[in-house]
Amino acid sequence: MLKILISKIVIPSNISDYLSRTLIVITVATTLLIGSVLIIQQTLHYNKISKQKSNEYLENQKIYIQDIVKNELEYIRIQNEIFKQNINEEVRNNVTQAFLTAETIYQKYAGIKSDDEIKALIIASISSLRFDMEYEEVFISNLNGTGVYYPRRPEFTGKNMLHFKDANGSPVVLDEINLLKSKDEGFLSFIINSDLVSESSPSKKTSFVKKFGHFNWYFGSKQYVEDYFPKFRNEIARKISTVRFKYGGYVFMNCMDGSPIVMDGAVYMGDLNLIKNTENIRHKVFMQELEVLKTNPNGGFFYYQWNKMNDSIPSEKCSYVQLFKEYNWLIGAGFYLDEINQSIKDQKNKLWEDQKSSILTILLILILLLFFEGMIISRFNKRYKSDFERFFNFFYSSKNNFNQLNISELNFDEFRRAGIAANEMITLREETEKKLLEEHRKAMESDRLKSAFLANMSHEIRTPMNSILGFSELLESDTLSEKDKLVYLKQIRKNGDMLLNVIHNIMDISKIEANLLSIRKRPVKLSKFMEEIGHHYMELLSTRNDKDILFKINNEVNREVSIQTDETRLRQVIDNLIGNAIKFASSGSILVDVKLESDLLHFDITDTGIGIPLDQQAAIFERFMQADQGDKINSGGTGLGLAISKNLVQLLGGNIQVKSEFGKGSTFSFYIPKG
Ligand code: ADP
């Protein structure tokens, strides 16, 4: 039951309903499909973009913290340069001061005092020099490697120091002498204590040496970097601790040996060691930092849990860390992912708002599209329904009439084509029906004609027969005079001829219809032929008291002309036509015109008789057909004369026609070939 109901809804029995429903279903489905595809596409696009944006944002954030770290490293590098330059300046100043003092003394006493006296004066004045740091000093050595004056190591005086080596095994004094071989002064550095594990630089010693050529001496001064280093480190730490960036970001700084320098955005003052103190939660993160640097010596990112500055709950953090190699400092900065996530969420929300508006636009367009599609479908429905309707009406109405379908009113080509075919069918049916009706009419007419023919025939036969029998009976009487007998015999003869004529006519039409009538053409002298006809009818009409007719033959053809035809049949046609003219005219004239035009012989038989109605002029050439000429006196006849004449003329190679005006007369014209 339900199945039937569903199938009725889905496939209705009505074609136009079916079409419109199918169209609506297809349109709605297509629109929904396109809409869904567009919306899915938009959503996918949104997901892709938002993911892309998240990644981009994360990447940007990473680049951002990386830049911050790199900036700080650059700052440290520059500060370190300055720091080292300052130390160098310090030692150079010390040496230069000593050198100038010595030079002044030398210049003053050279040539006055002995070299040894001058040397002693120089050493004395140098030993009295005071420097910034307590331990600072200027030493004097011979360029051959023997010590001259070492303020804190008097035992070096006169001692060959060429074998002196630093913590790394470099020959310190030899290096100094070698340097002064090529130039007058220069810096050198060496390691004095290899025990220091971290911040290796402070174990460095920087020295400046300057040649004092007068005694083959050189002055030198050494500076312990570590003496200046804590100050330098604190300055760096202080500066780094002030760095802040978005979402509560700060820069941290640790030494690879595990001592924190800047922690949670502040300079660390305690004595925590992140390597040794494994209990501390920061230990794990520090080890992670070391691990990152092991795999990425030029810096890398790592993820971990860390408390925010003013928060005790740990949050996911991503940090970048890079090593300042010279002092084994780890410089890093990070950002909290949840802060980023919030920002990404904000961005995503904005993106989603945009997406929502484009989805709404799509939906609006789809609704508009559906609306327009609906309009188009309903217009289409209306049009083809009207076409269907026209067809139905046409078929219903064509049961009873032959009305044509108005093609121009149809809306679709297919219907128009079907309409043309239907109209052709109607035309054909109309023609066929007309033919059938005509056939029927003809059959009826033929039936009527036959009855009329039989009636006429019996009249035509009976009348002369009665006369023949009547006069024969009268002839039997003995009291008849010779004159009467002659009159009676003439009557019998006349009626016999009439009877024979009827019989001939019947035989002729039978032969014609059976295609048995043959034509025998012979030369006929036209003038003679026409003259005979003229004589015959002049004579005949002179005997007819009932006819007051002027008979005339107008033969325009040259007297010598001889034609090739069947004289008997030609005569039969002319006799028929003149006979009819006499029969249907009681007064007036009968004119026979004969002329030759381009080898065709034309005959016109014109009478001033009763004429033939226009609508019957074609029918009179059919057999048994007699025109309805109103109150004409029954002229007798069989209705065969003209049918025979027409056939004979055609057999002779010509044609016949009539022109007539009812009540005024008729002209029967025919032509035959000359030969
Ligand atoms: P019939 O004269 O024996 O009736 P036809 O075939 O010769 O047969 O003529 C057919 C009919 O044509 C006539 O019955 C008559 O109605 C008409 N008809 C023929 N000739 C004439 C004419 N000259 N004038 C008027 N009607 C004519």
Side-chain angles (χ1 to χ4, degrees):
M1 185 70 193
L2 191 74
K3 232 173 147 182
I4 295 168
L5 198 73
I6 289 170
S7 75
K8 272 231 169 233
I9 292 168
V10 178
I11 308 170
S13 53
N14 179 319
I15 290 182
S16 51
D17 278 358
Y18 179 66
L19 258 177
S20 50
R21 254 174 239 183
T22 311
L23 273 175
I24 287 168
V25 168
I26 289 172
T27 315
V28 171
T30 316
T31 316
L32 287 180
L33 196 77
I34 293 171
S36 322
V37 168
L38 283 175
I39 288 170
I40 288 170
Q41 223 177 23
Q42 281 288 329
T43 315
L44 287 177
H45 180 68
Y46 162 76
N47 286 341
K48 196 179 147 200
I49 293 282
S50 72
K51 204 168 170 186
Q52 208 173 309
K53 285 238 174 211
S54 300
N55 287 341
E56 248 173 46
Y57 197 83
L58 201 70
E59 279 313 305
N60 283 345
Q61 205 56 29
K62 280 166 111 178
I63 291 169
Y64 178 66
I65 54 162
Q66 193 176 22
D67 282 349
I68 285 171
V69 170
K70 288 210 185 288
N71 278 344
E72 293 315 309
L73 281 168
E74 183 61 13
Y75 170 78
I76 294 171
R77 192 188 63 74
I78 293 166
Q79 289 304 314
N80 189 35
E81 284 298 310
I82 297 169
F83 164 66
K84 282 200 274 187
Q85 260 174 31
N86 285 343
I87 293 173
N88 286 350
E89 277 311 302
E90 190 85 24
V91 283
R92 187 208 281 265
N93 280 344
N94 293 348
V95 170
T96 312
Q97 200 183 346
F99 179 86
L100 289 175
T101 309
E103 188 66 28
T104 316
I105 293 168
Y106 181 80
Q107 292 303 332
K108 200 172 167 186
Y109 298 110
I112 301 166
K113 289 190 179 191
S114 69
D115 279 0
D116 286 343
E117 282 172 335
I118 296 171
K119 282 180 185 172
L121 276 172
I122 290 172
I123 289 168
S125 58
I126 284 174
S127 66
S128 65
L129 287 175
R130 287 290 163 267
F131 305 105
D132 288 355
M133 295 291 220
E134 198 198 322
Y135 55 81
E136 275 179 89
E137 59 174 22
V138 172
F139 63 85
I140 306 168
S141 234
N142 261 316
L143 281 168
N144 62 8
T146 4
V148 175
Y149 169 69
Y150 279 83
R152 252 178 236 101
R153 309 292 288 264
E155 68 270 22
F156 285 173
T157 311
K159 198 172 177 184
N160 188 328
M161 299 188 295
L162 287 175
H163 61 277
F164 278 19
K165 293 202 167 85
D166 76 348
N168 281 352
S170 299
V172 184
V173 178
L174 195 65
D175 283 350
E176 289 170 353
I177 293 165
N178 282 341
L179 182 132
L180 292 173
K181 273 181 186 162
S182 54
K183 42 190 184 178
D184 286 342
E185 58 181 31
F187 286 101
L188 280 135
S189 65
F190 50 94
I191 310 296
I192 55 141
N193 187 353
S194 60
D195 288 345
L196 288 168
V197 178
S198 64
E199 295 175 321
S200 59
S201 273
S203 63
K204 259 188 196 166
K205 212 168 178 183
T206 295
S207 67
F208 182 76
V209 287
K210 190 171 171 67
K211 217 191 269 177
F212 188 73
H214 304 301
F215 303 126
N216 222 16
W217 279 0
Y218 70 92
F219 296 105
S221 181
K222 295 185 170 65
Q223 194 62 272
Y224 294 93
V225 177
E226 65 180 352
D227 291 339
Y228 298 88
F229 187 72
K231 196 173 155 234
F232 165 70
R233 194 180 79 151
N234 281 344
E235 272 171 22
I236 296 290
R238 205 164 34 76
K239 194 268 162 184
I240 298 261
S241 70
T242 60
V243 176
R244 291 287 180 276
F245 52 91
K246 59 184 176 183
Y247 309 129
Y250 55 85
V251 177
F252 58 84
M253 184 173 166
N254 296 317
C255 187
M256 267 182 100
D257 66 1
S259 47
I261 302 170
V262 176
M263 199 158 77
D264 295 340
V267 178
Y268 183 73
M269 305 300 254
D271 54 2
L272 173 72
N273 187 299
L274 294 169
I275 295 177
K276 289 174 193 149
N277 191 339
T278 49
E279 296 303 305
N280 195 295
I281 49 154
R282 295 163 195 267
H283 164 78
K284 224 174 98 189
V285 179
F286 184 72
M287 297 317 282
Q288 226 177 316
E289 283 172 36
L290 292 181
E291 193 58 37
V292 169
L293 289 174
K294 223 161 104 188
T295 41
N296 307 293
N298 294 322
F301 291 93
F302 66 104
Y303 294 85
Y304 57 103
Q305 296 283 328
W306 198 257
N307 287 0
K308 284 185 191 171
M309 266 171 95
N310 300 315
D311 207 340
S312 54
I313 307 152
S315 308
E316 174 94 21
K317 196 171 178 180
C318 168
S319 285
Y320 175 78
V321 66
Q322 194 173 336
L323 184 68
F324 187 75
K325 282 201 188 84
E326 197 170 339
Y327 303 135
N328 279 339
W329 287 343
L330 296 172
I331 314 294
F335 58 90
Y336 290 95
L337 290 174
D338 56 356
E339 304 274 3
I340 300 292
N341 287 346
Q342 185 52 44
S343 170
I344 289 173
K345 220 161 123 187
D346 291 348
Q347 282 207 5
K348 273 188 174 178
N349 281 347
K350 207 187 149 290
L351 197 71
W352 179 238
E353 283 304 313
D354 292 351
Q355 288 301 108
K356 243 165 46 187
S357 69
S358 47
I359 286 173
L360 276 176
T361 315
I362 290 171
L363 282 175
L364 201 78
I365 291 170
L366 286 181
I367 289 167
L368 278 176
L369 210 73
L370 265 177
F371 177 69
F372 282 121
E373 282 167 351
M375 267 172 46
I376 291 167
I377 288 173
S378 90
R379 196 175 139 71
F380 172 66
N381 274 354
K382 235 161 122 182
R383 283 161 70 96
Y384 76 70
K385 268 185 181 170
S386 108
D387 278 9
F388 268 127
E389 213 52 47
R390 278 180 214 287
F391 259 90
F392 292 143
N393 292 340
F394 162 72
F395 281 122
Y396 277 127
S397 69
S398 64
K399 276 196 297 193
N400 309 317
N401 59 42
F402 300 111
N403 284 350
Q404 294 263 323
L405 188 66
N406 190 347
I407 305 292
S408 64
E409 283 177 350
L410 295 173
N411 295 306
F412 296 96
D413 274 353
E414 288 79 357
F415 285 112
R416 277 195 278 269
R417 289 216 311 268
I420 290 168
N423 280 347
E424 276 170 9
M425 184 186 79
I426 290 289
T427 314
L428 209 72
R429 212 191 81 198
E430 191 179 5
E431 278 169 9
T432 316
E433 261 181 46
K434 269 188 186 158
K435 261 187 207 161
L436 279 173
L437 278 174
E438 184 61 20
E439 295 291 318
H440 179 71
R441 194 193 59 74
K442 275 187 180 164
M444 298 292 281
E445 182 66 8
S446 161
D447 199 43
R448 190 188 66 75
L449 286 175
K450 262 183 198 154
S451 314
F453 168 73
L454 280 176
N456 272 355
M457 201 59 87
S458 49
H459 171 79
E460 287 297 304
I461 294 170
R462 202 173 48 229
T463 310
M465 214 46 158
N466 280 343
S467 293
I468 291 167
L469 289 173
F471 285 114
S472 306
E473 212 172 300
L474 287 175
L475 275 177
E476 282 174 8
S477 169
D478 300 335
T479 56
L480 284 178
S481 65
E482 281 303 308
K483 196 182 165 193
D484 283 342
K485 274 184 186 172
L486 209 62
V487 171
Y488 293 165
L489 277 172
K490 263 189 182 173
Q491 282 299 328
I492 289 170
R493 175 69 190 264
K494 189 182 143 199
N495 283 297
D497 283 346
M498 278 167 71
L499 204 56
L500 193 65
N501 190 38
V502 170
I503 290 162
H504 274 152
N505 274 347
I506 292 171
M507 281 174 69
D508 281 348
I509 199 77
S510 306
K511 274 190 194 166
I512 287 165
E513 285 190 350
N515 248 343
L516 292 172
L517 197 102
S518 55
I519 295 293
R520 272 187 290 271
K521 290 189 177 180
R522 288 208 179 81
V524 179
K525 193 87 184 278
L526 191 66
S527 53
K528 189 172 168 243
F529 175 74
M530 288 314 295
E531 275 162 18
E532 276 174 20
I533 291 172
H535 284 137
H536 173 74
Y537 284 102
M538 292 289 205
E539 206 178 291
L540 182 86
L541 280 169
S542 66
T543 60
R544 293 285 294 266
N545 298 328
D546 57 330
K547 304 280 175 185
D548 178 20
I549 295 170
L550 175 74
F551 182 80
K552 198 178 166 202
I553 290 181
N554 181 24
N555 184 5
E556 291 177 13
V557 186
N558 193 307
R559 290 193 64 78
E560 302 311 313
V561 169
S562 171
I563 57 167
Q564 186 78 17
T565 192
D566 187 326
E567 187 181 349
T568 319
R569 294 302 177 189
L570 179 60
R571 179 68 195 257
Q572 192 179 345
V573 172
I574 293 172
D575 281 344
N576 263 332
L577 296 178
I578 298 175
N580 277 346
I582 295 169
K583 193 157 49 170
F584 296 106
S586 44
S587 61
S589 62
I590 294 171
L591 188 65
V592 180
D593 280 301
V594 186
K595 53 187 179 243
L596 192 65
E597 269 175 23
S598 53
D599 281 351
L600 290 178
L601 201 55
H602 290 268
F603 294 87
D604 295 309
I605 293 98
T606 307
D607 65 65
T608 53
I610 59 171
I612 308 151
L614 193 65
D615 60 333
Q616 299 185 40
Q617 287 175 13
I620 53 172
F621 290 101
E622 283 170 30
R623 58 199 179 102
F624 310 128
M625 192 66 201
Q626 291 181 313
D628 179 5
Q629 285 145 320
D631 56 351
K632 72 167 182 187
I633 319 131
N634 189 358
S635 54
T638 54
L640 289 175
L642 284 178
I644 291 167
S645 299
K646 187 180 175 183
N647 280 296
L648 288 178
V649 170
Q650 282 172 349
L651 283 170
L652 291 174
N655 214 343
I656 187 167
Q657 62 180 34
V658 64
K659 271 188 191 149
S660 176
E661 201 176 328
F662 188 48
K664 287 198 171 166
S666 319
T667 300
F668 283 84
S669 308
F670 74 93
Y671 67 85
I672 53 165
K674 188 186 150 203

